[in-house]
Amino acid sequence: MLAALIIVSLLLMIAIAVAVVSFRRMSELRMDLTSAVLSRTEIANFLSRFSTGINCEDGVDGAMYSTARYVCEQIEATGVAIYGVNGKVLIPLGVYGNYPLTKKLPGRKQRLLDLLKEEEPIASGSGFLGGVLESRQSELIPLAAMDKRFDIYPNSDKLGSVMATLMIRDGIPAGVICAVNNRMMAGRPFSEAQFSRFKSLANQVLMVHQLVQVYGEISRRERIDQELGFVRQFQLSLLPESNMTLGNFTISARTTSAKEVNGDFYDMIRIDDDRILVMVGDACGKGMPACMMAAMTRSFARSAASNFTTLSKFLREINDNLFRDSDIDRFITLGCCLIDRRGGLIEFARAGHTDMIMHVHGHLRQLSPDGTALGMLPDEDADFDTICLALDSGTSLMLYSDGLNEALNHEKEEFGTDRLTNVFSVACYHHESASAIIDEVLGAVHEFEYEQNDDQTMILIRYN
């Protein structure tokens, strides 16, 4: 009897230990998911801040001020300063908030950044910030008032927590970011979570710092080209692979921009092992504003997909975020196709976007569920219908932006939806490959048009 009780007790202890480990693992996975969602959505906000800053009257200083403010808000500090490396010294680039690491207090009308620039540059190895530069190690100081390296600053006895991290480019220090005093919990040191978040923002700050350097080194026209080229490369890096398979489904995508940056975008998001969400978006306008709108939409879409329930709710959530965070005259159209490899099912919804064209057994069908463009209406007025179909083998589905059907020839005649559907039908007859069908359709459009005057995106879904 005693032996049986011992065995039962041991089994119970093992079960409890397994449950604790499982709970911890689930907590870790939840934290990883939250981190991934934040990293996908923050870039749109960050680029928007930089764009606003660089276009203000302060130019470069405005961009660095906006960047320091962004970091300050993200880590809940009371003040943040950004320093660049010039030789072996640190020079101030931007500052925001209540930042007390100055050797004298600013006058009533003097900007804090101007005061920092008047001071002697911080040499490598000198004081706290110079020490971070020399050691190449980020530091978190729980109470700076007790650290002698801060004695050079007035009222150092009133300093709270301070942390600093490096910006590294090609293995070489490019600058130091310093944050002062925990605003999240006044009087308490920065937490390890805040410190980790602070260090993770260094690459974004470095990106702005590099752009600022470009602005200072080349002419105005070259600066603009360089900036747009940078954004274009970054935008291209966000696109998924252009070809993907899921069971009997093959998906191919192409996109080309009319200007340096693209207001169209496409994405393919795996919901689970059996489902994938395919999207094509077309922001109003062209150039940088449309590019920013597309980037915001993609970020919101990725965030919403992390807890996907239904296609209608998915579009409502994106619309609510865009309506709240974008200008009143900014909107984007979106076509969404939810693919389920179990039984060859697809669900289609659109938000003011072009129809989806289906080719099956030599017949064409246009799918056009109701739905308004995203960002135009508040949540209570926005509604999105869906269409669900079970596909036959050999079915091809085409999603596209209006840059294809609105392409113009020398006589200003549009390519048109009728011509586009006919070309699509012929391509489906000639080819079974999704990629080959896209090539033939886009080839016909490019042969017709005089010059590309709008962004063009096409997605081809083939069910075999």
Side-chain angles (χ1 to χ4, degrees), residues 99-317:
Y99 184 77
L101 301 188
T102 61
K103 295 180 181 179
K104 65 178 181 178
L105 300 177
R108 179 175 299 180
K109 296 184 179 180
Q110 187 176 25
R111 294 194 313 168
L112 182 55
L113 179 60
D114 292 335
L115 178 64
L116 289 172
K117 288 181 176 180
E118 290 176 1
E119 295 181 358
E120 184 177 352
I122 301 171
S124 177
S126 174
F128 171 68
L129 294 173
V132 170
L133 176 61
E134 184 177 61
S135 68
R136 300 192 180 189
Q137 296 293 322
S138 300
E139 282 200 53
L140 168 59
I141 309 299
L143 184 60
M146 303 297 293
D147 193 320
K148 293 187 179 298
R149 291 176 296 176
F150 294 91
D151 289 347
I152 59 175
Y153 303 115
N155 301 321
S156 61
D157 58 328
K158 298 179 181 179
L159 286 174
S161 186
V162 176
M163 55 185 176
T165 190
L166 282 166
M167 295 184 290
I168 301 291
R169 180 177 60 204
D170 299 328
I172 301 173
V176 172
I177 315 167
C178 182
V180 177
N181 294 331
N182 187 356
R183 179 161 51 89
M184 181 182 296
M185 298 183 67
R188 299 287 299 275
F190 288 112
S191 66
E192 287 298 327
Q194 286 172 294
F195 188 40
S196 177
R197 174 71 174 150
F198 180 55
K199 290 186 289 185
S200 72
L201 291 169
N203 285 337
Q204 296 186 33
V205 178
L206 177 60
M207 177 175 67
V208 173
H209 179 39
Q210 289 175 301
L211 286 174
V212 166
Q213 287 182 319
V214 169
Y215 266 74
E217 293 170 358
I218 55 181
S219 67
R220 180 179 180 275
R221 181 62 250 175
E222 290 172 328
R223 287 203 306 264
I224 295 173
D225 290 342
Q226 184 80 9
E227 178 185 342
L228 292 176
F230 173 84
V231 175
R232 177 176 175 78
Q233 289 302 315
F234 180 80
Q235 187 179 36
L236 290 174
S237 72
L238 294 177
L239 292 175
E241 292 184 8
S242 59
N243 296 288
M244 186 175 292
T245 59
L246 180 70
N248 291 332
F249 286 96
T250 303
I251 309 158
S252 289
R254 303 281 192 282
T255 185
T256 57
S257 58
K259 294 185 177 295
E260 292 85 352
V261 291
N262 203 333
D264 285 1
F265 81 97
Y266 70 85
D267 208 352
M268 306 174 193
I269 307 174
R270 286 190 179 271
I271 303 301
D272 51 40
D273 290 341
D274 296 309
R275 297 180 298 166
I276 189 169
L277 184 61
V278 179
M279 298 181 296
V280 57
D282 183 1
C284 67
K286 302 179 185 68
M288 186 63 74
C291 169
M292 296 299 300
M293 190 70 175
M296 289 177 64
T297 304
R298 180 187 183 277
S299 295
F300 288 139
R302 286 262 170 174
S303 177
S306 65
N307 53 4
F308 183 88
T309 54
T310 68
L311 202 51
S312 294
K313 289 183 179 179
F314 170 77
L315 289 174
R316 291 177 70 96
E317 182 174 343

Side-chain angles (χ1 to χ4, degrees), residues 244 246 248-253 268 276-279 336-339 345-348 356-359 391 394-399 424 428 432-435 437-438 458-464:
M244 186 175 292
L246 180 70
N248 291 332
F249 286 96
T250 303
I251 309 158
S252 289
M268 306 174 193
I276 189 169
L277 184 61
V278 179
M279 298 181 296
C336 301
C337 189
L338 180 64
I339 298 173
L345 300 176
I346 65 105
E347 184 180 10
F348 176 61
M356 179 167 70
I357 304 176
M358 180 170 68
H359 179 273
L391 303 183
T395 299
S396 295
L397 304 167
M398 180 173 69
L399 295 166
F424 172 55
C428 291
E432 292 187 358
S433 162
S435 180
I437 293 172
I438 285 185
M458 178 178 170
I459 298 177
L460 200 289
I461 302 168
R462 177 79 177 178
Y463 181 63
N464 299 310

